[in-house]
Amino acid sequence: MAVIDWYLFFNELIPDTIDHFARAAKEALDRRQVVGTFYAYMFEFGGDPEYGHNALGRLLRSPQLDFVAVTASYHDRAPGDGADYARAPITSVNLHGKLWYHDNDTVSFRYDDMHRARQDRATVARYRKELGVTETAQETLWQYRRGAGFVLGNGIYQSFFDLHGGYFDDPALMAEVQRLNALLDESKQHDCSSVAEILVVSDEASCSYATFESGFLQQTLQPAQVQLAKLGAPHDSILVDDLTLTDVNRYKFVLFLNCFHLSDAQRRLIRRRVLNRNRTVLWGYAPGLFDGPKASVRAMQELTGLRLALAPKPDRVQARISLNDRGAQFGSHGVPSPRVIGHEHIWAQLVSVEDHSATALGTLAGRSEVVLAMKSLPGWTSIYTLNPVLPASFLRALARQAGVHLYNDRDDTFYASRSYLTLAADGPGPRRIRLPKRSDVFEPFTGQRLCRRVTEFNHEFHAQETVIWRID
């Protein structure tokens, strides 16, 4: 507990220090200018408390700060199977009246030419992967549009940043930057508020309860963001304490990612705000196991409504889930074809389900313990998963059962707000986009009306193509 307390103190010290200097800046400027800071990297750094980014909730309470500047993630940027996503719970920033400023340092197809003369080829190859380098100018344009779709889908702002100097030195790229900047400026006239029916909840204090440089924690937070971006419906993402500020009525599917630690007040908040209105709630690993210095299996059971069991140490298992027939057939379509699911790099002490009144969906791969199960409770449905990083297709099936409107039923990167839709295709072919209500569909750059009063429309995609639509 002494280590946990020190980690909590260390992370709180960072925003307190920022607040001190932000106050000095505000006073020096007679409070006439906005002040912000680079912060909010919890997902990006896998929740590691030694990075000092696990106190966003404390930072957002500062009256001195107007915005956070957040660089685009350096994981899974590749066209097609990659995505743009937030480095921390993005919706919480808006709930506290702050602005999320997206520092878009996307590179381009010029990467190889720019770094051809460098001697450290291993570093060049590593950055090539991390930065999601494109092969052609056209792929770069589509990647720029995917980033713009992320901005429009989350109602935030961005700037293009030339990371190493030279990535934009191409007429076609600069012409696209001009088009996108004009589109983003014009979007201020339209409603970019959220239409999400999915809420993702994570916790900062819980990160201090994981082991030193926890591979489990890293793989729990960051990889989940890619799957969520490919679910086919938008989601909001908050810190657990911000349930007090959130209008939860429109959310039908709620996911708790890393809430291993929950205080009594947080448990009461979850019960009051979330566990009702026929919602489906998906609990990640060991929800509510800790409360301060206490660990309690009973507390997990009372929160989730499931009989959960904690295996004795040192039973550390690879958290892969073998779907049974019920799990494999779950949902009418979109269920993953592999019978073993869950991120392959997650290892943890086993927390399984020993509840005969629950429906087992999957067992620990190679063993008999139930680690994916669902149970209907009065007013809500509880689902537990040992592995919090489930495939987008399986999450889509859960969302469908929960009554969430799905715009797309493929594993494509998808963003949506009230006025904009963006789809970045992971593979060529037709897509059918389904709208929640009858709408007009516009080409956003020219304003041309493409469809009038439709509930769905089709588009034929090239591989890795990104298309943005405005809807009204």
Side-chain angles (χ1 to χ4, degrees):
M1 196 65 213
V3 175
I4 294 170
D5 284 339
W6 191 90
Y7 277 147
L8 294 172
F9 155 75
F10 172 70
N11 280 270
E12 291 173 356
L13 182 64
I14 307 301
D16 287 355
T17 306
I18 292 171
D19 180 76
H20 172 82
F21 288 102
R23 180 189 299 274
K26 280 285 190 181
E27 291 174 354
L29 296 165
D30 295 328
R31 297 192 170 271
R32 291 172 298 153
Q33 300 291 334
V34 294
V35 173
T37 183
F38 278 90
Y39 194 80
Y41 291 10
M42 181 176 73
F43 295 158
E44 182 77 1
F45 293 151
D48 191 328
E50 299 209 355
Y51 282 89
H53 274 259
N54 296 348
L56 177 63
R58 194 178 186 93
L59 184 84
L60 294 176
R61 292 194 293 272
S62 168
Q64 323 304 331
L65 283 168
D66 304 295
F67 69 92
V68 290
V70 191
T71 306
S73 175
Y74 292 121
H75 298 275
D76 300 289
R77 280 190 180 187
D81 60 352
D84 292 83
Y85 51 87
R87 287 185 165 202
I90 191 169
T91 312
S92 281
V93 175
N94 180 57
L95 289 172
H96 286 267
K98 313 293 187 185
L99 179 71
W100 182 290
Y101 192 84
H102 183 56
D103 184 45
N104 189 350
D105 61 0
T106 302
V107 298
S108 75
F109 76 101
R110 299 199 68 254
Y111 180 87
D112 291 333
D113 286 340
M114 287 174 54
H115 300 285
R116 198 176 304 280
R118 290 182 58 168
Q119 300 301 313
D120 50 342
R121 303 313 298 171
T123 301
V124 172
R126 178 167 65 88
Y127 283 164
R128 196 179 200 284
K129 180 179 180 181
E130 289 182 1
L131 298 175
V133 174
T134 50
E135 304 298 333
T136 67
Q138 181 60 74
E139 289 180 4
T140 303
L141 301 188
W142 289 335
Q143 197 171 52
Y144 288 175
R145 292 192 183 192
R146 189 181 73 187
F150 168 73
V151 170
L152 294 167
N154 286 284
I156 59 176
Y157 288 77
Q158 79 155 27
S159 67
F160 286 104
F161 174 58
D162 199 352
L163 183 60
H164 296 128
Y167 290 123
F168 293 93
D169 291 351
D170 181 271
L173 300 189
M174 287 307 299
E176 181 67 8
V177 167
Q178 185 177 24
R179 283 192 294 269
L180 289 174
N181 281 342
L183 171 62
L184 293 170
D185 189 58
E186 193 260 345
S187 71
K188 292 183 292 187
Q189 302 175 34
H190 303 286
D191 185 354
C192 291
S193 61
S194 172
V195 290
E197 297 176 327
I198 300 171
L199 181 65
V200 179
V201 184
S202 51
D203 181 57
E204 296 180 309
S206 292
C207 297
S208 295
Y209 282 75
T211 53
F212 174 66
E213 293 187 347
S214 169
F216 166 80
L217 185 59
Q218 164 65 38
Q219 301 302 332
T220 294
L221 292 173
Q222 185 273 324
Q225 307 309 313
V226 182
Q227 302 306 314
L228 290 164
K230 292 182 173 290
L231 196 156
H235 70 278
D236 289 341
S237 182
I238 66 168
L239 296 168
V240 62
D241 286 335
D242 289 331
L243 283 169
T244 58
L245 303 176
T246 306
D247 179 7
V248 298
N249 290 335
R250 60 188 166 89
Y251 298 117
K252 301 175 181 178
F253 184 29
V254 180
L255 296 78
F256 287 87
L257 278 186
N258 71 322
C259 297
F260 329 123
H261 174 274
L262 292 169
S263 66
D264 286 341
Q266 288 172 327
R267 294 167 203 266
R268 291 193 297 269
L269 177 63
I270 291 170
R271 291 190 186 99
R272 185 176 74 252
R273 302 280 285 162
V274 178
L275 309 186
N276 47 46
R277 297 178 69 91
N278 296 317
R279 286 192 188 89
T280 296
V281 179
L282 176 64
W283 307 97
Y285 178 80
L289 174 62
F290 300 109
D291 179 5
K294 299 179 295 183
S296 170
V297 174
R298 178 179 293 275
M300 286 197 299
Q301 296 173 344
E302 291 174 350
L303 179 66
T304 63
L306 292 160
R307 283 189 58 83
L308 300 177
L310 178 65
K313 292 181 178 179
D315 189 7
R316 188 167 173 268
V317 299
Q318 185 182 26
R320 297 279 277 161
I321 301 171
S322 178
L323 296 175
N324 58 22
D325 289 342
R326 179 71 179 91
Q329 297 170 3
F330 189 75
S332 57
H333 49 276
V335 177
S337 54
R339 294 293 290 255
V340 178
I341 63 172
H343 197 286
E344 64 270 25
H345 297 306
I346 292 181
W347 291 75
Q349 187 178 357
L350 178 62
V351 177
S352 58
V353 180
E354 297 180 355
D355 192 329
H356 296 299
S357 61
T359 300
L361 303 177
T363 58
L364 187 66
R367 291 172 50 167
S368 61
E369 293 95 337
V370 174
V371 291
L372 179 63
M374 175 173 58
K375 184 176 182 179
S376 294
L377 294 161
W380 64 290
T381 298
S382 182
I383 304 175
Y384 171 74
T385 174
L386 175 70
N387 193 314
V389 188
L390 300 177
S393 52
F394 196 84
L395 293 175
R396 190 178 307 121
L398 296 180
R400 180 180 290 109
Q401 175 178 279
V404 172
H405 175 80
L406 298 173
Y407 293 76
N408 181 40
D409 59 7
R410 295 274 297 272
D411 287 2
D412 303 307
T413 300
F414 181 81
Y415 309 107
S417 63
R418 199 165 298 280
S419 296
Y420 291 93
L421 305 177
T422 302
L423 191 149
D426 186 5
R431 304 292 195 276
R432 176 173 295 178
I433 311 300
R434 298 174 180 86
L435 303 176
K437 58 185 178 182
R438 290 193 177 276
S439 304
D440 293 349
V441 181
F442 296 87
E443 205 288 335
F445 297 101
T446 65
Q448 177 190 0
R449 192 195 311 268
L450 304 175
C451 305
R452 185 187 296 273
R453 300 286 294 164
V454 296
T455 55
E456 60 181 46
F457 62 95
N458 300 314
H459 185 85
E460 186 77 24
F461 279 84
H462 300 286
Q464 303 178 354
E465 180 183 7
T466 299
V467 177
I468 302 171
W469 297 279
R470 184 171 66 81
I471 59 173
D472 188 3

